[in-house]
Structure formats: structure tokens, C-alpha cells
Amino acid sequence: MSNNGPGVTNPMLYDPPEGQASNSKLMQFVAGVGVSIAAISAGTALGWTSPVLPQLALPETSQNVSVTPSLNSSNSNVTDSGFYLTAEQGSWVGAFLAVGAFCGALPAGYLAEKIGRKYTTMSLALPYLVSWALIIFATGTEMLYAGRFVIGIATGASCVVAPMFISEIAETSIRGALGAFFQLFLTVGILFVYAIGPYVSWTTLSVLCAIFPVLLIAAMLVIPESPAYLVKQGRRSDAAAALKWFWGANCNTQSAVESIQSDLDAVKGEAKVSDLFTKVTNRNALVIALLLMFFQQFSGINAVIFYTVPIFKSAGSTMDPAICGIVVGVVQVLMTFVSSVLIDKAGRRILLLQSSFIMGSCLIVLGVYFKLQNDKADVSGIGWLPLASVVLFIVSFSLGFGPIPWMMMGELCAPDVKGLASALTVMFNWSLVFLVTKTFGTMQEVLGSDWTFWFFGFWMLVCTLYVFIKVPETKGKTNAEIQALLGGKN
């Protein structure tokens, strides 16, 4: 196709007269859902261990084993796997996903720049399907480890490419809402596993999870390439055609293409790795993205999820642990959806500030509760307090630090370094996931439950100060305006 813009050789790309142009948001949301099937696939991978590890745990009659984290203590309606896992093996089944995600992030950023966002996203279906095949036909721990490592590669790659793709197809007015889609559909994937996993065998669950990568291929066959990538490749006509698909036939493609070209011209050519650290705007964007990911993981979200069942029980609840997991999953999905609605109205900063402050407060309350419990104090009268804290914590996380770090990762970075910066940020995130997951049990033993919660609460107080002082508001701003903010030019 010609590299020229709309003209006599491309009659379908004529723009409406000045003043009559208008954008349609429908196909942007459709495309956001399609790309986010990668996030659903990642969510199923993340949630999979919760109902599966109890099924694979050594029977208590032969060895007293506690596999964590788990939300389901029932093995009813489950077929015999033919092999079992010790607690240590179970923890590695969970941890190998983080190791794979670390390894998958950097190649994904490279591929997104070389072959495009569309084909990189489509290619993620292959490692997802390979991993589910390894898991479904596993005859021992080695195949499970391999499957979890490969699915980690796909998950890490999804965390890089999907937010990048979505941020590039959205017009400024709905960029926040679409940017929240990644975390929203991640929670949908987790909820899918929580809702089905306790009631089917782990192999059946794995077969059902393998449906989503197939749907991802189907969706990506229809969705065009990112206009920003096409302009970067000099394919302006293709970019205009893609914009017509995403923004509607009446959009002003000439203006949009020129705006994208202007952003690219401002950064002058291919970026080098050193540009991330020597150029002040890139360095500031990377530091903010990395610290948002740090605070996301050091919010203690995994600690709170781990304690959901015992806290429900301490409040006098007789709810089945599997139902507890479903309740948590539903709250996460609903509140992340609310965040996607609010994010372009309230802004990023206010949602991050409420999230860190409220989560920090809830963690302090939980620490006090477990301190009283450990000191043998009578806590029966305040059994509702930790339960309320957990629910409020999850609501607040889902409104702020769940979706926004992923969205801002795609917003903050200039087009020439976006792939590399996103890859480094995701690698950092998954390193923290591995660190927090593997050391959480040790922290409990050494510090106790109370000090473990207070440790995470301290980081949320630091986070509140950092967001207030350093994180810029990106709501409604173009890439050029965001870069000016990062460079200190208000």
C-alpha cells in the first residue's frame, strides 16, 4: 500500500470537511476488549494455583502439608492426578510463573518494535497453548514446572504488549478508561478460575483456560495494527485506514497522523538503551513507572489475599473457602470496572492517593488485630473489623494501584522508548512478585503476622507522599504535554 496520506489514490480515506469531523468510541472499546483477552489469559495463569494446589497436595494421612496460597480446601469432585506435590514443590509451581514472566518481558518489547503490536499480541497465543498442553498432560512435577515457566513467559509478554497496544489506539478522552482494561480483564481471568476451579478437576480447568488463547488469535485477526507503529514504519496510509477502523469513518485522520508523526519527530529516530537514562524525560518516566510497580507489589496485596480465608473465619463466617475466593474475585472485577469509569473523570493522582492511603490504613488495622490475637486478647467483639479492612483494602487496590500503574506505564513513555521501558518495568514488577511471594512465609515466621502487615503499611505511607509530590496528572494530556511535564516544563 502507498505510504502517502489520504488522497486520490485512497478515496476511502477522505476526511470530512473541517468542523464536521467526529470520533466514534465503540470500536476502540471493542479493540480494547479483543487485546485484553491476553490479560484474561494471564489472569487464568495467575489464579490457577489457588484451586489447583490443594488438589495436588499430599494427603494429610501421609504427610501434614499446607500449600499456600489457597482458597479451596475441598478436594470433592476432583479426579486423582496420579502424583502429588510437597509444600515446597507447590510453592515453586507458583513461583515459576514469575520467573517466566521476567524472561518474557524484554523479548516482547523488542518484538513489539520489530513486527508490531498486533502480531506480537497474536503470537502470545502460542506459548499460552504450549503451556496449557504441558500442564494438561503433565505426569510429574517437571512438566508442571515447564508449563508454569512457559505460561509465565506469555504472561510477562502480555503485561508489556497489551497496555502498550491499548494506549496507542485510544483517543485522549478515553485513554484512561481503556488503559484500565488490562487490569480489569486480568481480574476477570482470575475470577473465572476462582469460580470454576474448586468444582472441576485441575486438568479440566486447564482445558477450559486454553480456550482464551484461541479467542485471542480470532480477535487479533480482526483488529488492525497500532496507528502509532504504522506511522513509525512510514506506512501513513495504513495508519489512516487503521484510525478509520478504530475512531470511525468521520474522524480526521490527517490531523491524527500528523499528531503521531509530530510525537515521533520530537524524539528523532531510533532510541538507544542509554537514552532511557541520559534523557531527563525518559529517565523521569521510567523512575515513576518503576516506583508505581514497586508500590503495587509492596501494597501487601498478596498478603491480604492469603489471609482472606482466616479473616473471614475470625469474623465468625462459616462461608466455604471457595466462596470466599469468588467473593474476592467479584469485588476485584467490579471495583476495577468502576475505576475504568472514574479514571478519566477523577484523574490518576486522586485514585492513586486514595488507594495508597486507605490500603496503608487497612494494613495498620490488620496488624493491630493480629497483634491483639497473638497476645491472646479477646477479639471476638471486633471480628468484623479485619473483615471490613480486607474488603476495603481490595476495593481501594482495585480502584487505584491495581489498574493505574499498568496504564501509566503506557502513557508516560515517549514512543521511541516505550517498548524497552515497558519491558524493563514489567521485568521489575515480576522480580518483585517473585521476591514478595517467596519471602512472605519467612516474614511471617520471623516478624509475625502483625509486623508483616505493618511492614507493607509503612510502604503505603511512603507511597502516599511519593505520589503527592512526584507523580504528574496525565488525564486528558497528549504525549507531547506529558513529555513536557516530565521535563519540568509546565
Side-chain angles (χ1 to χ4, degrees):
M1 186 177 287
S2 169
N3 288 335
N4 298 322
V8 293
T9 57
N10 298 286
M12 295 302 291
L13 298 184
Y14 273 123
D15 290 332
E18 190 70 29
Q20 296 182 25
S22 63
N23 293 348
S24 170
K25 297 177 174 59
L26 175 61
M27 296 312 292
Q28 294 175 64
F29 281 103
V30 169
V33 172
V35 174
S36 296
I37 297 174
I40 299 178
S41 299
T44 59
L46 285 167
W48 183 84
T49 52
S50 183
V52 169
L53 290 183
Q55 296 182 22
L56 293 175
L58 280 166
E60 292 184 6
T61 52
S62 59
Q63 181 176 334
N64 186 18
V65 175
S66 175
V67 180
T68 60
S70 66
L71 294 172
N72 173 31
S73 58
S74 172
N75 283 342
S76 59
N77 302 320
V78 173
T79 57
D80 190 348
S81 65
F83 64 92
Y84 296 104
L85 301 176
T86 64
E88 179 66 16
Q89 289 171 329
S91 73
W92 277 108
V93 166
F96 263 115
L97 182 140
V99 176
F102 178 89
C103 297
L106 196 58
Y110 176 81
L111 278 177
E113 296 298 338
K114 291 300 178 184
I115 67 172
R117 285 54 159 153
K118 172 187 172 85
Y119 291 110
T120 303
T121 305
M122 187 185 295
S123 70
L124 297 180
L126 179 60
Y128 275 124
L129 290 171
V130 168
S131 63
W132 287 125
L134 284 168
I135 290 168
I136 290 164
F137 297 106
T139 56
T141 55
E142 293 79 8
M143 287 183 72
L144 273 186
Y145 289 165
R148 293 291 290 172
F149 177 77
V150 174
I151 209 166
I153 291 174
T155 299
S158 298
C159 292
V160 173
V161 181
M164 182 194 307
F165 198 166
I166 291 171
S167 72
E168 291 179 350
I169 64 176
E171 59 184 285
T172 303
S173 65
I174 59 168
R175 194 177 61 223
L178 280 180
F181 268 32
F182 181 79
Q183 180 70 16
L184 173 62
F185 283 90
L186 193 78
T187 61
V188 168
I190 293 171
L191 177 58
F192 176 83
V193 170
Y194 281 6
I196 294 175
Y199 308 108
V200 298
S201 71
W202 64 274
T203 49
T204 301
L205 175 64
S206 302
V207 170
L208 293 173
C209 289
I211 293 170
F212 294 108
V214 176
L215 294 177
L216 178 62
I217 294 173
M220 295 314 300
L221 286 171
V222 177
I223 297 170
E225 179 57 89
S226 155
Y229 174 79
L230 292 170
V231 172
K232 190 175 182 180
Q233 298 301 307
R235 297 162 57 187
R236 292 169 66 95
S237 290
D238 291 350
L243 283 164
K244 290 288 187 184
W245 194 95
F246 289 121
W247 293 10
N250 291 322
C251 74
N252 188 333
T253 58
Q254 193 76 35
S255 173
V257 168
E258 289 303 327
S259 177
I260 294 169
Q261 187 67 62
S262 176
D263 287 342
L264 291 170
D265 290 343
V267 294
K268 296 183 178 63
E270 291 294 321
K272 303 185 292 292
V273 174
S274 60
D275 290 343
L276 265 178
F277 307 98
T278 57
K279 192 172 180 181
V280 65
T281 53
N282 292 339
R283 185 170 64 246
N284 288 343
L286 181 64
V287 168
I288 292 170
L290 290 174
L291 284 174
L292 288 179
M293 290 302 185
F294 174 86
F295 291 126
Q296 182 193 67
Q297 292 306 316
F298 275 74
S299 68
I301 182 64
N302 291 320
V304 172
I305 293 294
F306 174 84
Y307 266 98
T308 298
V309 172
I311 286 173
F312 269 59
K313 288 180 178 176
S314 70
S317 171
T318 57
M319 192 183 298
D320 184 274
I323 303 299
C324 291
I326 294 171
V327 169
V328 169
V330 169
V331 169
Q332 283 187 300
V333 170
L334 290 178
M335 289 302 106
T336 308
F337 174 77
V338 171
S339 177
S340 71
V341 174
L342 289 177
I343 205 164
D344 281 318
K345 294 181 173 64
R348 285 65 159 153
R349 272 170 52 86
I350 190 67
L351 290 177
L352 287 173
L353 285 169
Q354 68 79 27
S355 187
S356 57
F357 179 77
I358 293 175
M359 286 192 297
S361 302
C362 291
L363 289 163
I364 291 169
V365 169
L366 287 168
V368 170
Y369 176 82
F370 280 102
K371 172 67 173 172
L372 292 171
Q373 196 176 60
N374 293 339
D375 291 345
K376 310 300 181 185
D378 182 11
V379 293
S380 58
I382 56 169
W384 58 270
L385 187 61
L387 179 57
S389 296
V390 166
V391 173
L392 185 58
F393 180 97
I394 292 170
V395 166
S396 188
F397 177 84
S398 301
L399 284 172
F401 265 90
I404 293 177
W406 297 110
M407 185 208 68
M408 290 193 73
M409 177 182 74
E411 277 190 324
L412 290 168
C413 302
D416 63 326
V417 296
K418 187 174 290 188
L420 178 60
S422 296
L424 292 176
T425 303
V426 170
M427 290 170 71
F428 181 67
N429 181 278
W430 284 104
S431 299
L432 295 175
V433 171
F434 180 83
L435 176 68
V436 172
T437 302
K438 289 300 289 181
T439 60
F440 178 65
T442 305
M443 287 179 65
Q444 283 180 275
E445 293 173 11
V446 175
L447 301 177
S449 301
D450 47 0
W451 280 100
T452 299
F453 281 111
W454 288 334
F455 171 81
F456 291 119
F458 164 78
W459 284 113
M460 284 299 93
L461 296 179
V462 173
C463 172
T464 303
L465 290 174
Y466 176 76
V467 172
F468 183 77
I469 296 169
K470 287 290 188 181
V471 177
E473 179 56 74
T474 57
K475 180 185 77 170
K477 291 182 170 60
T478 64
N479 183 266
E481 291 170 333
I482 292 170
Q483 297 310 303
L485 271 178
L486 292 169
K489 303 169 188 172
N490 295 322

